[in-house]
Amino acid sequence: MDLPELGAFLQSRRARITPTEVGLPTGSRRRVPGLRRDEVAQLAGASVDYYIELERARGAQPSPQMLAALARALRLDSDERDHLFRLAGREPATESGTTAHVQPALLALLDELHATPAQIITDLHETVVQNRLAVALLGPPVPAEGHATSFVYRWFTDPASRTVYPEADHPHHAKVMVSDLRAAVVRRDHDARSRDMVARLRRASAEFAELWDTGDVAVRRGDRKRIDHPTLGVLDVNCQNLFSEDGRQRLQFFTAPPGSPAVEQLRLLAVIGTQDLTDTSLDTTNRTTHAP
């Protein structure tokens, strides 16, 4: 790990990003160009002290997850992100889960969706980053590793993941997720990760195996979803996807049909945010779904 170069690189990238570019207030008194250290830490989900230590060429080696979060916070392109990983003594991460690289343009669009639940997921349905309203709607991130970072994988191996949707809708979601997964596997040219996921799911779930054997394929570009929220009840919303050029990532956002009860429900969601999701008086044990 090259701590001096790592610190200098972080500082130089921070200096070129304006608060407006990442959805932060500009303010009238800014003593530094670009972002402040505390703002980078906030965007990356790190402690301010930890980030300061990194810029000062001190501290522990950052994890791949932290490096990926810093790359997103600083809007690094692919070359810059790989450089960041190597300065930290890490091999550039594979395109999966929370370490997947998101193009700055896709992140910039996510930043603009202040009043809309939105998230960026991979084609294997691994959630990479969410905005505040997506966390409030779908639940907090699931601490997981390996294939369990995929919502499709959890859907067929962990019954608790299904509580985000009403039970009557489960057959529909199972069918369309399998069809979408088949499209992803072919798009990835049957790479090792997707092939292994399918093999494990076939062994673990008779339901998955039966759906997979139908041969159905369809990219999930949009859908009408009913989402069961612990405070607001069932929200009937439209879910739309905007795809990256290679199709491996998608920006997913949720809107209310005009004139529907979901209009008011989403307005209330913006007010309550995530506060009820951490209220111990509520049973939220099954809300860590991170459903795409």
Side-chain angles (χ1 to χ4, degrees):
M1 184 167 65
D2 191 338
L3 279 171
E5 283 295 324
L6 175 63
F9 184 64
L10 288 171
Q11 186 173 1
S12 70
R13 300 306 89 182
R14 171 170 64 86
R16 70 176 186 171
I17 302 292
T18 66
T20 302
E21 288 179 277
V22 294
L24 294 175
T26 302
S28 57
R29 295 183 179 180
R30 300 189 68 86
R31 294 178 294 178
V32 297
L35 298 177
R36 298 191 302 263
R37 291 189 180 100
D38 64 297
E39 291 171 331
V40 176
Q42 174 191 338
L43 291 168
S47 74
V48 177
D49 289 342
Y50 177 75
Y51 181 75
I52 290 175
E53 289 291 288
L54 285 180
E55 277 205 9
R56 290 179 176 173
R58 298 198 292 265
Q61 183 184 31
S63 68
Q65 289 76 17
M66 177 52 63
L67 291 169
L70 288 170
R72 288 192 290 269
L74 295 169
R75 299 304 191 260
L76 304 187
D77 62 26
S78 298
D79 292 336
E80 291 171 325
R81 176 180 178 273
D82 289 351
H83 184 64
L84 175 68
F85 270 73
R86 293 189 175 102
L87 288 177
R90 304 281 190 185
E91 282 299 312
T94 56
E95 297 292 306
S96 63
T98 57
T99 60
H101 177 61
V102 182
Q103 291 298 321
L106 208 56
L107 280 171
L109 184 54
L110 177 66
D111 288 336
E112 293 299 316
L113 299 176
H114 306 295
T116 304
Q119 59 185 8
I120 295 172
I121 66 173
T122 71
D123 56 351
L124 298 182
H125 292 251
E126 303 157 310
T127 304
V128 181
V129 60
Q130 293 177 299
N131 68 9
R132 183 182 69 91
L133 287 181
V135 175
L137 178 65
L138 302 171
V142 176
E145 295 180 352
H147 292 312
T149 59
S150 164
F151 182 68
V152 175
Y153 188 84
R154 296 197 305 275
W155 178 267
F156 291 101
T157 59
D158 179 10
S161 67
R162 299 193 175 201
T163 58
V164 70
Y165 300 130
E167 186 174 357
D169 299 346
H170 291 181
H172 166 73
H173 289 296
K175 182 179 185 298
V176 296
M177 279 192 284
V178 171
S179 297
D180 187 75
L181 178 61
R182 183 183 295 278
V185 171
V186 175
R187 184 186 308 113
R188 289 168 168 259
D189 197 23
H190 297 82
D191 65 359
R193 180 174 177 79
S194 61
R195 283 189 292 106
D196 186 61
M197 178 184 291
V198 171
R200 289 173 181 269
L201 283 172
R202 286 181 64 88
R203 292 194 297 267
S205 170
E207 179 189 17
F208 176 86
E210 181 179 352
L211 288 169
W212 187 261
D213 288 343
T214 65
D216 291 346
V217 58
V219 176
R220 196 174 194 178
R221 295 181 174 85
D223 206 351
R224 186 75 170 260
K225 293 185 176 183
R226 295 194 302 158
I227 297 175
D228 195 356
H229 189 273
T231 303
L232 301 176
V234 175
L235 289 81
D236 192 343
V237 295
N238 292 321
C239 174
Q240 298 296 324
N241 296 294
L242 295 177
F243 291 81
S244 62
E245 187 174 353
D246 63 3
R248 289 200 174 196
Q249 292 183 358
R250 60 192 73 173
L251 173 63
Q252 189 172 72
F253 58 97
F254 302 84
T255 58
S260 73
V263 173
E264 178 64 15
Q265 288 173 305
L266 287 182
R267 188 191 68 79
L268 289 173
L269 184 72
V271 174
I272 66 173
T274 60
Q275 61 182 326
D276 283 358
L277 299 180
T278 57
D279 187 341
T280 56
S281 66
L282 293 171
D283 177 11
T284 61
T285 55
N286 290 332
R287 284 297 299 173
T288 55
T289 53
H290 227 188

